[in-house]
Amino acid sequence: MCPGNFAYGMWKFIKKLVFTLIILSILGVVAGRFINPPITLTQIGGIVEYGKLQRDYISYGEMGNNVKKAVIAAEDQKFFVHNGFDYDAIQKAYEKNNQGKKLRGGSTISQQTAKNVFLWQGRSWIRKGLEAVFTFMIEKTWGKEVILERYLNSIEMGQGVFGIEAAAEYYFGKSSKNLTKSEAAWIAAILPNPKKYDPKNPSSYLKRKHNWIMRQMNNVVLK
């Protein structure tokens, strides 16, 4: 086979591969409007690292308002008004990064949902670019309620623990709908680093964050 034919064949293969991935991505987003993901790459990582997958998918209505308010207060207070991206938070994160300060990302709940459901963990530009594409698609097709439900069902909330229902059972021995305001705030306080922090044995930093979330929850209005 001459080099020209080989290059042409590779180009055709790449085009077919890209087209197939685009179609699968669209189908995945459409399916995600109606069902929770069977499993995610992050959950597979939890199985590999901790030898377990503790999760229990529940509906939006079964989650309880305290949990929703706590997570929105902690992670994305503009959730119901932005289009998937909080440009002010992104700008602040960019400026802090340029100043050499510890980066506390500007990711919204929508962006985190796109990452958790469809992609992998990490900070590469490729992943961030794909995250932006999936964020745009789920904002257009899912709506805020579905996005928040998928987020609260898929997010890592402990070592091998995923989703708010499993976290409520793991930390407090109860269903998420029965969590008190304080208990919901404790779970939200461990985000975005649930492998490091433990609400059962909180550090002084976690206690301050918990108190801050409790105050911020008073400002959250669910749609």
Side-chain angles (χ1 to χ4, degrees):
M1 181 182 294
C2 69
N5 289 336
F6 176 78
Y8 178 71
M10 284 298 297
W11 174 240
K12 286 184 65 177
F13 171 77
I14 292 171
K15 287 199 297 184
K16 288 181 180 179
L17 178 61
V18 170
F19 179 77
T20 300
L21 291 175
I22 291 173
I23 295 299
L24 290 176
S25 298
I26 293 173
L27 291 175
V29 170
V30 173
R33 173 67 178 81
F34 304 100
I35 60 173
N36 285 287
I39 197 164
T40 68
L41 290 175
T42 306
Q43 290 172 356
I44 293 174
I47 295 174
V48 172
E49 187 171 358
Y50 301 108
K52 68 174 183 178
L53 174 58
Q54 188 172 339
R55 70 175 189 185
D56 186 6
Y57 290 152
I58 57 175
S59 69
Y60 184 83
E62 295 175 301
M63 292 176 173
N65 288 340
N66 281 334
V67 162
K68 299 167 191 173
K69 288 184 177 181
V71 172
I72 290 173
E75 293 292 290
D76 184 5
Q77 295 188 24
K78 296 180 181 179
F79 174 68
F80 286 112
V81 298
H82 63 57
N83 65 352
F85 305 93
D86 185 344
Y87 299 103
D88 290 336
I90 293 172
Q91 179 64 27
K92 289 178 182 177
Y94 175 77
E95 291 173 355
K96 287 185 178 180
N97 191 41
N98 282 344
Q99 295 168 7
K101 297 180 180 179
K102 185 178 180 181
L103 180 65
R104 171 64 172 93
S107 294
T108 63
I109 283 176
S110 300
Q111 289 175 272
Q112 293 181 57
T113 303
K115 176 186 67 177
N116 291 335
V117 173
F118 297 106
L119 302 170
W120 61 93
Q121 304 300 314
R123 292 184 178 276
S124 70
W125 286 109
I126 293 176
R127 202 226 68 199
K128 291 298 291 185
L130 291 172
E131 178 186 294
V133 172
F134 278 107
T135 298
F136 175 81
M137 289 196 293
I138 66 176
E139 277 280 340
K140 293 297 183 181
T141 59
W142 289 7
K144 296 295 186 179
E145 184 174 306
V146 174
I147 291 173
L148 188 57
E149 179 184 317
R150 298 292 177 266
Y151 175 79
L152 288 171
N153 272 329
S154 64
I155 190 170
E156 188 172 21
M157 292 188 167
Q159 298 181 356
V161 179
F162 293 85
I164 190 59
E165 187 70 3
E169 179 63 36
Y170 180 75
Y171 292 116
F172 298 107
K174 60 172 67 175
S175 173
S176 61
K177 67 181 179 181
N178 296 322
L179 290 173
T180 66
K181 180 180 179 180
S182 178
E183 290 168 342
W186 276 122
I187 292 178
I190 67 176
L191 303 174
N193 199 343
K195 294 179 181 180
K196 177 180 178 180
Y197 298 116
D198 184 355
K200 295 179 181 179
N201 184 28
S203 62
S204 57
Y205 163 77
L206 205 64
K207 291 177 181 177
R208 292 194 301 272
K209 187 176 180 181
H210 171 265
N211 291 333
W212 178 84
I213 292 172
M214 289 276 286
R215 295 192 300 271
Q216 296 301 310
M217 287 173 70
N218 296 325
N219 302 322
V220 176
V221 178
L222 299 175
K223 305 297 184 179

